[in-house]
Structure formats: C-alpha cells, structure tokens
C-alpha cells in the first residue's frame, strides 16, 4: 500500500478498501489505514478511519474486534464532539446498535453489561433527540435471545409503535427482524407477509434480501410452499456465498438441504466454507452453523452413511459420524456458555431442537447437481423377518396370485416363498412350486437367467406340465439373445420348443397360454434381429418377424377371456407390429398400433406395461407434428409408469414433456418437468451426461421466466458437466449465453462478460458467424457496464468487424454508437465520440442508398435505425456540452445537438405512425434543447406538436389508442403528454434570450 499523504488520498483508500471482499485481508488493510490517518494529525481523519475499521469488522468473521475502535470513538466524542462532522456524528450513534448486538453475540460479555449498555444507548439517543425505535429494537433482541418472551413481546410492540427516524434500521433489516420473531412464534404466514416487501425488491440493503431469503426457507417448508422454498434457496445462496460475515444465513441454507433430502448439496456447502467450523470472532453464528452441521451429519448417519467421508475442520479427515459427535460437543459447549451468561437454558434448548429436526420433505429437487454419497436419500436397509413355515401356504397363494396377474411384486413374492421354505424344517415344496420359484428367479436375473430357465423347464417337466416346460425353454433361448448371444443360435434353440408346443397344442396336450408363451419368445428373438440389423434392413428380416407376430396374434385373439397374461401377449403383439411398421417407414400405422397396445395394457389393469409404448407413441406423434397427442402420451406414460418406472426412464419422459410443453409457450410447467428430469437423471447416476442436458434445458426455461438468480445457479451447475464432445458445442455456447444474460440482469457485469467471451470463442470457429458477432457485441456491453472501457471498445471493434463481414448494418451501427458513448469516458473524448457517431450516420445513409426498391421492410428498418442514430448523436453532443466550461463552445455543441435532434424528428416523421413514440421522444428532447438555448417559442411549438400527435385517437384519461396508433400498455402516451405539458409550462415562463 502506497503511503497516504493527505486526507483525500485516505478517503479514496478507505472507499477502495470498502469495495473489497469481506474478510481478514480487508480488516488488516483497515488497520493499516488507521495508522496512516494518525500520521496525518487530522482529528476527523482518525475518526473516519476508526469508523471504517469498525464497519469492516462488523461485516466479517472478526466481529469481536469492533469494541476497541468503538470505545475509542466514544471517548473522542465525549472529549471533543466538535471534531465530528454531521456524517460521523450520525455514524457514531448509528453503530450503538451494532455494539448492542455485538455484546449479545459474545458470551464472555456479562448480561449486566449488555443491559447497562442498553441503558447508555437509550440515554444518549434521548440526548441527541432520536426516537426510541432503535432502542426498543435492541431491547427486543436482548429479551428474545435469553428467552424472556413477555418482555420480548412488549419490546416488539414498542418497537413497531415508535416513530421511524434517522437512527432506525433500514426498512429491509427491520422487516427481517420482525418477520423472524413471527416465525419463531410459529406464525409463518404472517412472517412471510411481513417479509414480502423485501422479497419483492421494494426494500434492500447490503445484507438484504440475503437474510430474509435464508430465514424464509423453513417457514416455507412448514407451509408446504416448496416451489418458493427452492427458489429462495437458489436465489439466496447465490447472495450469501461470497459474504464471509453471513455464517448464520449460510447455516440456514445448510439446514434447508438437510430437511429436504438434499444432503449431498449440504455437504458441498460445508466444503465451500471450512473456516466456518473454527472462526471464533462471532460465537453466536458459530453455534448456529455447528447446530446445522449436527443436523446434516446425523441425518447421514440415519441413512446408513455414518462412515462416509465428509468435509470438516481442517487438519484431519472426518466421517459423518465423527463430525456429528465433534460438532455436537462444540455446539453444546458454546450454548452452555451463553446460557450460563444469560441465566437461562433457552439457547441450549433451541440448539438441541434445531439439531433434532426431522426432514420436512422427503425430496425436493433443486435442479443443481451435487455429488451424491452412496445411497443418500435411500432408507436404511433393515433385515426383514423371515416368515414362519405356517405362513408358507399363504405366501404361495399370494405369489401365485401376483404372477398370474403379472404384478411387478411377483418376483419378490416368489423369493419370499423360497426363503420361507428353506428356513422351515420338514417342509418340502412340490415340483410345480419349485418350478415357479426357479422361473421367477430367472426373470430377476435378466439376461443372465438362461440356465435358471432351463432348470425351471426340468422342474415343470417333473411336475408333468410339458407346455410350461417348453415355454420356460423358449424364454431361456430369448434371454440368451438378450445376453448378446448370436440371434441365429437363439432361433435354433427356440425351434424345438416351437415345433413341439404347436404339436402338443394341436393334440390338446397344453393350453393357449403355454403355446402363446413359446410363440412370444420366438417373436421376441426375431424382433431382436430387427433391432440389431445394421444399415438397410432386408425384407426377409422384417417379413419373418411380422409373420411370427401375426402367428401369435392369430393364436391369442378371441381366446383371452379374463386371462391377463393372454391379454398382455395380445397387446405386446400389437406393439411389435407397430415397431415393424415404423421400421418400414409407416409412422402413422406405427403410432396407431402403439396406441392400441397401450390401451389394451391399461384396460387389462397393467398400466406399467403401457408406459413404454406410450413413450414410443409420443415420439411418433411428435414426428408427425401432433403435439397434443405427444403431450397426452407422455403424461400417460409418467402416470402409468408409477413406482416401477426406472429413474433414467422417468428422467427421459420428464425432459421430453418439458420440450413439448415449452414449445407451446408454457415455460413454467416446462421448467417443472426439466427440474424433475435433472433430479431423476442424478438418481440414475447420469448426472454428468443426461442430467447436465436437463439442467441446460431447465436453465433456459428459467431464463424465459426471468428468474435470473435461479437460472444462474442451475446453468453454472450444468456447465460443470457439459462437454462439447458429449453434448455438442452448441449446448455449451447456449448455456454460456444464457448465463451471461442472467449475470447481466443480476448486475454481475464482469462475470457476464467472461461468460459471453467464452461462448464467443467457441462460436468463432463456426461456419455461420452471426452468433459470434452477437456474443462479441454482448460481451462488449458487459465490459462497458463493468467499467472496463478500453476492453469494451476493443470488443465493440471486433463485433463491428464481424457485423460488417456479415453485411449486418444494424449491428455495425449499434457497435459504432456504443463506441461513441465509451469514447466520452476515455482519452478520445468528445472528438472521438463525434467521429464514431458520424460514422454510424454514414453507414445508415450508405446502406439506404443501395437498398432495392422491392425491399420495403428492409428500407423501413434502416430509416428507423438512422432516426435513432441521429437521436443518440444529439444526446451525445448535449452530454459533451455539459462537460465543457467555455460558454461559446457549450452553445455551439447545443446547436449541433439540436440539429441532430431535428434530423431525428424528420426521419421519424417519414415513418408515419409506426415511429410515433420515437418521434415524440426526439421532439421533446429537441424542445428541452431549445429552452437551454433560450428559445421558448420554439420549445413551446415542439411541446404543442407532441400534444397534437396524441390528441386524436387517444383517450384523455387512459392514453389508450383507437387502433390507428400504438397503444399505451406501458404508459408511454401518458408519460409523453405529461412531459410535453411540463415543457410547455417551462417555455411559457421563460424569457426569450435568442436575440431574434
């Protein structure tokens, strides 16, 4: 740090330090600045440096250091109050409140000292003529902290009743405290109503809406307002993350994760702030943080993850169980110190209650990915008690009922029968029972179940059921094909059972169900060959598969009766025909057959089997342009899939539905489905691949809804996993683009520029350069808004070159205009700005000279661009005149500005009604310039011209048009009229100084 030589330099250094991130580095510099102030030997310099030091301590983890600079300031005030100017006098009384809260938050400060200080604050405020509002607020904080509810309620009422004055906390902070108390008293709805002006942006400050968003999380969960809770977490955590002093609010976000099934994200939050485990400067927020660490880690232990590695205090590795024990001990020790100081048990009771909370929501998807420890969110497995032998007949009956009706639980039911039989002495199952156990064991094994199907076939034969034996052998052949065995071998293996079962059925030796089982296995194998065919498919492959399916249908149709299994065979056969039709290019027939199959499954009470075909139908309907049918089918698939739908399938359906719903403009519902898609992709272990794409889509829908903070969190999470080689460079560029838009809306212009530049670098290599040019232009805008004027100018130059190469005059002109405005702030100054704006005018004129006669729309757009360029030229010249000290040059610049405004008006007049609002804006700007030049008559004429423009066809009260001109949905007409009336009044009262 360079040496401070004068008071102005000290003030600049303090202002610069105040803009730095919270933390020890900023505090240390404040300490050095105090030493520099003392060397200046200026009392006010020392006072301001002490105030600066006190402020940075308050907004950091070293709040305990505030007391020393404040004690010194108070001593200086008592000894020489005349050394304080008005601002520092106000500041001294303002920070009395910080001292009250600061003492309360330090358990080593006796409660008697806190009460004494409260009295001192009340005395000094009364002497200074301040309201008691801030005093009662401080008293409320003391009473609420120690658990003296009656006193807290009295102080709360007195706080609200007292007049607001200069010492009252800002509206945002006051509303936070008031709502916090209501939530503490269980009045969640009232709390949220009190917080509403802060949440809606009416009131804000350095720490709001940060703390209100954090405090609202649990009340929203308790009320079941989950969408709002999720939004508040994503928006609020983004605000809290960079602010070291907000450990208490940070703890609220960790608590939210622990209570909503987002334990993995909670661990990520702990990992981001290791210092929060050990920072001792603010014991109260440390207690709050450690309490939710206990809540989170004990939740992990309850899920069977107590041995998982988790982030904790530096210096060693921690498991969830170890950290829970450590944090509980530390938290309760801190709580005991507060309770000993306070003479109550209130702090300890609240800490224990917070640690003991149970989840309020089983799962609340957030849209952001967290690396999940194994089995997070799954119930802890418990050893199931095996049924006794006396229950075996009931288990057999239930298993047979489930398998006969094709229920998903049938496999587990037969496994339970097997366990019961094995665990009971003297119980022997007959061959039929053992055959069904083996068959369902084979089903559970999937592609690896061929040998078990063979064992089941042998047992069916032993049970003298040759039809079921052949069906089991046929299923074994099919699963060999599923396991990757050559389809030809599978067909050979099924050939024998196929011939035998047909002969057996013809002789009456088996029933339709068993014969259909063999024919279905053979048809599935032939369909497998269709799936595996590479390139143009031979007609014989399709033909053989279709013949097999139709043979099955011929056997089953008309014979299903009440047999659910046969109905399922019929439905699956129709679905196979639908697939074959699709392969042959007959998409409409395919869609009809899939719809028929889904309806047959659903009609048979087997909706979970319909799910696959409804999903296929949705894809075909989308291809055919029938979006309504696609949406219906997707919704049905999700409904019918129910709990048996695998996570990855659920994710795919939700994302498809998001895209369909989003295409018809329902961004809010599309966002809900994309959110679900991201969640289920994570559950399926597809977070870095399919999940990243779902987050990309979700972020886009949130952008469309203007939910910038939520979108930014989601898009940043998506970018962590999006890869050009996996998701395509277009997805990466679009995500960066959206994120840049979000950051720009949030005022994070430097980061927005970085994202836009990164996207532009990728787009630079694309054959079509429009996106590259647009991103370069947007990056330039962000750089300018971030105050990086030279970098912004270079980016605009690059964008202009790209616009020129693309033949896009509008982009080129806008880049020149932007550079002109930047030039006013750089060394080029007014002359450089004039040259650039003149160049923009020339580009418009040149483009108009070559536009073709039949390109009327293009001509009108260029004329409009020219009008806006003249208008901005006039504004720029007027702005430059205000910075010039020479009267003659000021007048000359204003004359030039007026000339450009007049040109703008003339251009907009040529566009007739389409540019009415633009024309009147330019007319009014010209009128104000006329007044600056002392020409009231001309100014009045321009004001009257605007009033005439809106006189006909507009309602006097509402400003709404009659359809011939632009409406007043945004209040433009009313605003123009009001400004014209004001200009006319000024002009009529102004003496004419033109000399005419």
């Amino acid at each position: 740090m360079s040496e401070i030589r004068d008071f102005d330099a000290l003030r600049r250094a303090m202002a610069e330090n105040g803009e730095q991130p919270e933390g020890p580095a900023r505090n240390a510099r404040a300490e050095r600045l105090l030493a520099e102030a003392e060397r200046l030997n200026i009392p006010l310099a020392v006072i301001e440096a002490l105030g600066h030091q006190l402020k940075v301590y308050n907004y950091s983890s070293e709040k305990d250091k505030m007391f020393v600079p404040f004690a010194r300031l108070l001593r200086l005030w008592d000894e020489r109050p005349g050394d304080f100017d008005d601002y520092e006098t106000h500041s001294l009384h303002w920070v009395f409140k910080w001292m009250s809260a600061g003492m309360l938050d330090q358990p080593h400060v006796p409660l008697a000292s806190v009460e004494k200080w409260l009295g001192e604050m009340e005395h000094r405020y009364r002497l200074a003529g301040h309201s008691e509002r801030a005093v009662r607020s401080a008293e409320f904080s003391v009473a609420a902290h120690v658990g003296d509810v009656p006193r807290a309620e009295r102080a709360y009422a007195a706080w609200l009743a007292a007049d607001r004055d200069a010492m009252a906390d800002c509206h945002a902070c006051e509303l936070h405290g008031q709502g916090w108390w209501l939530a503490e008293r269980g009045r969640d709805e009232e709390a949220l109503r009190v917080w509403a002006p802060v949440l809606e942006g009416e009131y804000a400050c350095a720490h709001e809406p940060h703390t209100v968003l954090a405090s609202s999380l649990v009340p929203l969960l308790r009320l079941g307002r989950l969408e709002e809770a999720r939004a508040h977490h994503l928006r609020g955590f983004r605000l809290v993350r960079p602010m070291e002093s907000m450990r208490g609010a940070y703890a609220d976000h960790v608590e939210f994760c622990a209570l909503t099934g987002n334990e993995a994200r909670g661990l990520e939050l702990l990992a981001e702030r290791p210092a929060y485990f050990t920072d001792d400067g603010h014991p109260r927020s440390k207690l709050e943080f450690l309490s939710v660490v206990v809540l989170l880690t004990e939740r992990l232990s309850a899920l069977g993850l107590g041995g998982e590695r988790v982030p904790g205090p530096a210096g060693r590795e921690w498991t969830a169980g170890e950290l829970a024990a450590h944090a509980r001990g530390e938290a309760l020790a801190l709580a005991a110190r507060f309770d000993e100081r306070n003479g109550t048990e209130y702090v300890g009771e609240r800490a224990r209650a917070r640690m003991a909370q149970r989840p309020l929501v089983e799962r609340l998807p957030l849209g952001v990915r967290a690396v999940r420890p194994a089995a997070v969110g799954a119930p802890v497995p418990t050893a199931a008690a095996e049924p006794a032998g006396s229950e075996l007949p009931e288990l057999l009956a239930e298993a047979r009922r489930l398998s006969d009706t094709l229920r998903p639980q049938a496999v587990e039911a037969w496994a339970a029968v097997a366990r019961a039989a094995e665990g009971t002495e003297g119980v022997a199952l007959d061959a039929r029972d053992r055959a069904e156990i083996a068959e369902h064991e084979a089903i559970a094994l999937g592609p690896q179940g061929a040998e078990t199907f063979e064992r089941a076939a042998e047992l069916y034969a032993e049970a003298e059921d040759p039809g079921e034996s052949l069906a089991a052998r046929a299923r074994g052949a099919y699963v060999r094909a599923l396991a990757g065995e050559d389809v030809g071998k599978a067909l050979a293996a099924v050939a024998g059972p196929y011939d035998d079962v047909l002969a057996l059925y013809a002789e009456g030796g088996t029933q339709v169900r068993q014969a259909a089982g063999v024919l279905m296995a053979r048809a599935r194998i032939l369909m497998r060959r269709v799936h595996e065919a590479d390139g143009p498919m031979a007609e014989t492959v399709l033909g053989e598969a279709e013949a097999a399916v139709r043979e099955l249908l011929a056997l089953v149709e008309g014979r299903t009766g009440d047999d659910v299994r046969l109905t399922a065979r019929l439905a699956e056969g129709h679905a196979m025909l639908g697939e074959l039709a699709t392969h042959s290019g007959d998409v409409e027939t395919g869609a009809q057959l899939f719809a028929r199959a889904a309806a047959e499954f659903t009609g048979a009470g087997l909706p979970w089997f319909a799910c696959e075909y409804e999903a296929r139908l949705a894809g075909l309907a989308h291809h055919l342009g029938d979006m309504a049918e696609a949406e219906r089918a997707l919704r049905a698939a999700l409904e019918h899939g129910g709990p048996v739908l695998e996570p990855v399938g659920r994710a795919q359906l939700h994302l498809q539905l998001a895209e369909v719903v989003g295409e018809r403009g329902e961004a809010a519902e599309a966002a809900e489905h994309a959110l679900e898609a991201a969640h289920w992709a994570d559950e399926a272990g597809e977070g870095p691949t399919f999940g990243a794409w779902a987050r990309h889509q979700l972020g886009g829908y949130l952008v469309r809804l203007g939910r910038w903070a939520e979108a930014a969190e989601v898009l940043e999470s998506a970018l962590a996993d999006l890869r050009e080689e996996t998701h395509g460079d277009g997805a990466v560029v679009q995500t960066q683009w959206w994120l840049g838009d979000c950051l720009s809306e949030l005022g994070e212009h430097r980061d927005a520029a970085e994202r836009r530049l990164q996207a532009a670098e990728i787009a630079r290599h694309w054959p079509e350069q429009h996106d590259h040019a647009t991103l370069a232009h947007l990056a330039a805008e962000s750089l300018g808004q971030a105050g990086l004027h030279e970098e912004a100018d270079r980016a605009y130059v690059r964008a202009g070159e790209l616009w020129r190469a693309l033949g896009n005059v509008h982009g080129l002109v806008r880049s020149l205009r932007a550079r002109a405005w930047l030039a006013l702030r750089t060394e080029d100054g007014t002359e450089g700005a004039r040259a650039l704006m003149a160049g923009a005018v020339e580009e418009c004129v040149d483009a108009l000279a070559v536009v073709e006669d039949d390109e009327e729309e293009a001509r009108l757009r260029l004329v409009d661009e020219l009008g806006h360029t003249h208008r901005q030229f006039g504004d720029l010249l007027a702005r430059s005149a205000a910075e010039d000290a020479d009267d003659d040059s000021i007048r000359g610049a204003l004359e030039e500005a007026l000339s450009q405004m007049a040109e703008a008006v003339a251009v907009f007049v040529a566009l007739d009604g389409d540019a009415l609002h633009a024309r009147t804006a330019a007319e009014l700007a010209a009128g104000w310039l006329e007044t600056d030049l002392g020409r009231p008559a001309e100014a009045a004429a321009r004001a009257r011209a605007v009033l005439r423009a809106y006189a006909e066809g507009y309602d006097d009260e509402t400003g709404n048009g009659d359809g011939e001109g632009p409406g007043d949905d945004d209040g433009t007409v009313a605003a123009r009229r009001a400004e014209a009336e004001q200009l006319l009044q000024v002009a009529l009262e102004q003496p004419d100084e033109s000399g005419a």
Side-chain angles (χ1 to χ4, degrees), residues 571-591:
E572 187 176 350
H574 288 136
M576 288 176 170
L577 289 181
E579 190 167 352
L580 291 169
T582 305
H583 274 290
S584 300
D586 188 352
V587 177
E588 291 186 6
T589 299

Side-chain angles (χ1 to χ4, degrees), residues 270-284:
L270 298 188
E272 285 192 31
R273 284 291 189 181
Y276 277 175
F277 288 97
T278 53
D279 283 344
D280 293 322
H282 191 239
R284 191 170 179 181

Side-chain angles (χ1 to χ4, degrees), residues 657-667 669-670 701 704:
L657 188 52
E659 292 171 354
V660 170
V661 171
E663 283 181 18
R664 62 177 172 83
E666 298 293 335
E669 186 183 353
Y701 294 127
R704 284 166 60 180

Side-chain angles (χ1 to χ4, degrees), residues 917 950 954 956-960 968 970-981:
H917 291 338
Y950 292 120
Y954 286 93
D956 287 339
E957 294 295 327
T958 67
N960 289 323
D968 193 36
D970 60 354
T972 301
V973 174
R976 293 281 195 276
R977 282 174 162 175
E979 187 179 353
E981 294 283 2

Side-chain angles (χ1 to χ4, degrees), residues 432 435 456-472 504 509-511 514:
R432 176 78 188 196
E458 293 171 1
L459 289 166
Y460 277 124
E462 183 181 333
E464 299 182 349
D465 190 339
E468 285 293 356
S469 178
L470 291 169
L504 191 64
T510 192
Q511 298 176 341
Q514 290 76 19

Side-chain angles (χ1 to χ4, degrees), residues 64-129:
D64 55 332
K65 292 184 176 182
M66 289 192 303
F67 303 111
V68 172
F70 182 75
R72 187 174 171 188
L73 274 171
L74 196 59
R75 186 172 66 253
L76 290 172
W77 169 261
D78 289 338
E79 293 172 355
R80 300 181 54 133
D83 289 342
F84 288 71
D85 62 12
D86 290 345
Y87 179 81
E88 292 304 327
T89 299
H90 175 276
S91 296
L92 176 69
H93 286 82
W94 181 268
V95 296
F96 263 88
K97 299 177 293 182
W98 295 359
M99 294 305 106
S100 299
M103 289 180 178
L104 201 61
D105 295 340
Q106 303 289 335
H108 69 276
V109 178
L111 190 62
S113 298
V114 177
E115 295 283 7
K116 181 180 178 182
W117 183 257
L118 189 61
E120 178 76 7
M121 176 182 174
E122 183 172 10
H123 171 68
R124 288 182 180 264
Y125 272 38
R126 189 179 300 114
L127 286 178

Side-chain angles (χ1 to χ4, degrees), residues 561-621:
D562 295 329
D563 192 326
V564 171
R565 290 197 182 198
L566 286 178
T567 303
R569 300 289 187 225
L570 185 71
E572 187 176 350
H574 288 136
M576 288 176 170
L577 289 181
E579 190 167 352
L580 291 169
T582 305
H583 274 290
S584 300
D586 188 352
V587 177
E588 291 186 6
T589 299
Q592 292 168 3
L593 286 163
F594 281 136
R596 178 177 181 179
E600 287 169 340
F601 275 123
T602 305
L606 304 172
W608 49 90
F609 287 119
C611 175
E612 175 186 350
Y613 305 112
E614 283 159 336
R616 297 287 300 278
L617 171 59
L620 296 182

